[in-house]
Amino acid sequence: MKTKDDAAQAGVMKGLILCADDFAVNASASLGIAKLAAMGRISATSVMVLSPRWPQDVALLQSLRGRIDVGLHLDWTSDFALAAGHGLSLGAAMRKAVLGGFDPSAARVIIERQLDAFEAQWQAPPDYVDGHQHVQQFAGIRQALVQALSSRYGSGSGQRRQNRSDEGQNGLKPSTPYLRISRAPAGAADLKSRVIAAMGANALENIAADAHLTVAKALLGIYDFAGDRSRYSRLMQGWLRDAPAGSIIMCHPAQAAEPDDVIGVARAEEFAYLSGPDFSQALAHAGVQLVRGVALAGL
């Protein structure tokens, strides 16, 4: 029986999406993410379009168009969401989701606004949608999200589909944005991962299937943002090993720790590791090739 190391040595590559969350959360995150993308060290990034930095930081991604997936980081729980008038603390949002759920009609309006804000700067629909602190799975939000994506980008939705960011760049056909399912694979879920999945991973996957939307079914990269670069290196090696083909590993890098960022130190440690030689070696050892989500259907 072949081991994963045997497969790597034989040249059998496993395709994974490495997604840097929180683009535009601050200047250091945007700059770090853009640098990693240019180096080929990530294959996707999720944008916080409610950030006042998004209209200027989008310029950092323009040369990467068609090379990485650029998606919407749907936001209900950041300071930006609070400033926009619909935000809640994560605890309050979780309670609301559990105790009856968000109103789907109201949630649909907020989702459409964030999609509009994404398209206004990127001049194309998102390649995918996920959620800041996994709100895309919360009751009421998940139903509204699937409805919005199906209505805006599904078959027969017309002109919007003609402006996909990857169309004409690499021969790929336009498609409806794919969805992140925030659920760790079997055998790789700790308590935090199980809580995240319990907030609606299975429900989102089911309604997405009914709407014929593509999903990335497994998510790794969940941890407590504690520890140094050595710890992050060990965690990443485990995620690369355990991730099924076609799943997502999320990361939160920034080229420096900004003082008002509660996970700023962890962001800087992630960037240092992901931009260095140890990460390249880890990819090779695990037999992993970083891919875009447009490859999901074939993985």
Side-chain angles (χ1 to χ4, degrees), residues 9 38 44 77 80 109 111 119 130 137 173 202 222 233 240 246 248-249 258-259 297:
Q9 292 172 7
T77 59
F80 308 131
V109 172
I111 292 166
E119 291 186 20
D130 56 31
Q137 301 187 158
K173 295 180 180 180
N202 291 343
I222 299 167
S233 173
L240 293 172
I248 295 173
I249 300 175
E258 297 206 1

Side-chain angles (χ1 to χ4, degrees), residues 190-244:
D190 58 9
L191 177 60
K192 184 176 180 180
S193 298
R194 289 193 290 270
V195 170
I196 289 170
M199 291 304 298
N202 291 343
L204 177 58
E205 184 176 41
N206 289 337
I207 62 174
D210 289 342
H212 306 290
L213 299 181
T214 299
V215 300
K217 296 184 178 181
L219 177 69
L220 298 95
I222 299 167
Y223 74 115
D224 57 6
F225 299 108
D228 58 11
R229 197 176 314 168
S230 295
R231 183 192 180 218
Y232 189 71
S233 173
R234 293 191 297 273
L235 289 170
M236 180 60 73
Q237 291 175 50
W239 297 329
L240 293 172
R241 180 192 65 235
D242 296 337

